[in-house]
């Protein structure tokens, strides 16, 4: 059992972090009152942008590998933020149907990233020569039981994502900014009467969703994926992030728990086929396990939905 945990837990953490960033991005947007169904497209575009940037930089003789990774992640966040701006303009300024706008962004992201990838490589796939290397956390990795599970062989991007989650929790629940943002998603008319610019707050929420989703897409690339694949994209992880947002009841703590659950499901689906403990389960069942678990989780969580009251309603 211990050997099984040593394999599963670090991998589950790696799968959890991109989901956590995507779900957090959706949280900012929907708490501001804008329904965001384009997390999939934003994460996909972030994955593509980081892959293209890293490959181009690594082709420069003598260019630092670590610096290329960092620049690639930053470019991913900025590129997804620009794409999210289209959703913000359509939803806030033009008062378009937010569900249709999100769907359109997903389609645009898929088509645009495929076209650009084919232009760059000819095949549509962009493979990063090297990605982030796992390493132990000094001192903490030596703690009995906890150390080998959570602090041994981790990615440094994991700690960035955890820091973002902590900052987000503080911003949303311990600051006046967070209070205004959440109020815009509940009673925008009351907030506007108090002198708060609702459109500005919603723009911040949507652009932040793009920023964090881009980080999630880049984390997929530089940790376990290692390439942008035009055929498979990000395998629906953006939609799983939306499901985690709903399952987590639009709250940071709930999102952390739900993304950890879905990350574990993704781990079982991806590495379960090589583990003796899961050898008797057909591969098709293992592959479908995360999505089956998502449906079951949403069935139980939908009865007590805590969605923002004004989410999806133009102002």
């Amino acid at each position: 059992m211990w050997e099984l945990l040593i394999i599963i837990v670090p991998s589950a953490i790696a799968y959890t972090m991109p989901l956590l960033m995507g779900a957090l991005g959706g949280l900012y947007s929907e708490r501001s009152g804008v329904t965001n169904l384009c997390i999939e497209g934003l994460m996909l575009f972030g994955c593509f942008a980081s892959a293209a940037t890293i490959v181009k930089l690594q082709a420069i003789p003598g260019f630092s590998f670590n610096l290329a990774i960092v620049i690639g992640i930053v470019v991913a966040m900025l590129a997804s933020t620009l794409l999210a701006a289209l959703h913000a303009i359509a939803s806030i300024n033009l008062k378009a149907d937010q569900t249709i706008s999100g769907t359109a962004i997903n389609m645009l992201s898929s088509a645009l990233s495929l076209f650009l990838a084919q232009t760059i490589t000819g095949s549509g796939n962009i493979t990063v020569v090297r990605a982030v290397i796992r390493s132990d956390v000094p001192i903490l990795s030596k703690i009995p039981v906890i150390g080998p599970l959570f602090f041994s062989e981790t990615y440094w991007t994991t700690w960035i994502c955890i820091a973002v989650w902590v900052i987000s929790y503080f911003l949303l629940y311990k600051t006046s900014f967070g209070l205004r943002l959440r109020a815009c998603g509940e009673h925008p008319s009351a907030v506007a009467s108090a002198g708060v610019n609702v459109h500005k707050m919603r723009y911040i929420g949507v652009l932040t969703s793009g920023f964090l989703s881009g980080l999630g897409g880049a984390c997929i690339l530089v940790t376990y994926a290692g390439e942008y694949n035009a055929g498979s994209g990000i395998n629906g992880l953006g939609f799983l992030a939306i499901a985690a947002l709903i399952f987590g009841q639009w709250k940071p703590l709930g999102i952390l728990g739900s993304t950890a659950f879905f990350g574990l499901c993704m781990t079982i689906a991806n590495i379960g086929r090589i583990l003796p403990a899961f050898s008797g389960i057909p591969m098709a069942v293992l592959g479908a396990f995360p999505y089956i678990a998502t449906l079951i989780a949403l069935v139980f969580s939908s009865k007590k939905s805590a969605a923002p009251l004004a989410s999806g309603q133009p102002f």
Side-chain angles (χ1 to χ4, degrees):
M1 176 60 73
W2 176 250
E3 289 76 12
L4 185 62
L5 289 175
I6 286 292
I7 296 173
I8 289 180
V9 172
S11 297
I13 293 174
Y15 281 109
T16 296
M17 292 304 112
L19 289 174
L20 180 61
M21 292 300 97
L24 267 183
L27 176 66
Y28 275 96
S29 180
E30 300 211 3
R31 279 296 182 184
S32 72
V34 179
T35 299
N36 195 335
L37 297 183
C38 57
I39 300 299
E40 172 83 5
L42 297 176
M43 292 180 69
L44 174 64
F45 202 67
C47 181
F48 157 75
S50 59
T53 303
I54 292 170
V55 165
K56 289 297 184 182
L57 291 177
Q58 287 181 337
I60 301 175
F63 199 91
S64 170
F65 155 67
N66 290 325
L67 182 58
I69 295 293
V70 172
I71 294 176
I73 293 175
V74 172
V75 170
M77 293 188 290
L78 295 177
S80 295
T81 301
L82 289 175
L83 197 61
L86 297 179
H87 182 53
I89 293 171
S91 301
I92 300 170
N93 294 98
L94 303 180
K95 295 181 172 56
D97 186 291
Q98 296 170 14
T99 301
I100 296 176
S101 174
T103 303
I105 295 297
N106 285 333
M107 297 172 66
L108 174 64
S109 172
S110 178
L112 182 60
S113 58
L114 173 59
F115 170 74
L116 293 176
Q118 289 179 337
T119 302
I120 294 172
T121 65
S123 65
N125 296 338
I126 304 177
T127 302
V128 177
V129 177
R130 292 186 296 169
V132 175
I133 300 173
R134 290 187 178 189
S135 61
D136 293 346
V137 178
I139 301 176
L140 296 179
S141 61
K142 305 300 182 182
I143 300 175
V145 181
I146 297 177
L149 289 178
F150 298 101
F151 302 106
S152 179
E153 297 295 310
T154 64
Y155 299 107
W156 55 261
T157 52
T158 294
W159 304 108
I160 291 178
C161 293
I162 292 176
V164 168
W165 178 85
V166 172
I167 293 171
S168 296
Y169 182 89
F170 178 81
L171 278 177
L172 289 171
Y173 288 95
K174 303 296 181 180
T175 65
S176 57
F177 164 79
L179 179 62
R180 292 194 296 268
L181 185 76
R182 289 184 287 118
C184 287
E186 298 288 347
H187 303 287
S189 297
V191 178
S193 66
V196 176
N197 189 327
V198 176
H199 283 187
K200 177 182 177 181
M201 297 303 297
R202 289 189 168 183
Y203 258 99
I204 292 174
V206 176
L207 294 181
T208 303
S209 75
F211 193 78
L212 296 182
S213 296
L215 174 59
C219 286
I220 293 173
L221 175 82
V222 302
T223 55
Y224 58 83
E227 70 169 358
Y228 163 80
N229 188 303
S232 60
I234 56 173
N235 294 313
L237 287 183
F239 295 118
L240 275 183
I242 296 174
L245 172 64
I246 299 171
F247 187 34
Q249 296 297 297
W250 291 267
K251 297 177 182 178
L253 280 175
I255 288 173
L256 181 63
S258 61
T259 51
F261 170 71
F262 289 136
L264 177 61
C265 293
M266 291 293 298
T267 301
I268 294 174
N270 286 280
I271 71 172
R273 64 196 66 181
I274 64 174
L275 298 177
F278 301 98
S279 59
I281 303 176
M283 287 194 299
V285 175
L286 283 175
F289 177 64
Y291 308 101
I292 295 173
T294 300
L295 291 174
I296 295 173
L298 291 179
V299 166
F300 284 100
S301 63
S302 61
K303 296 180 180 179
K304 51 179 181 179
S305 176
L309 295 177
S311 181
Q313 299 178 10
F315 177 79

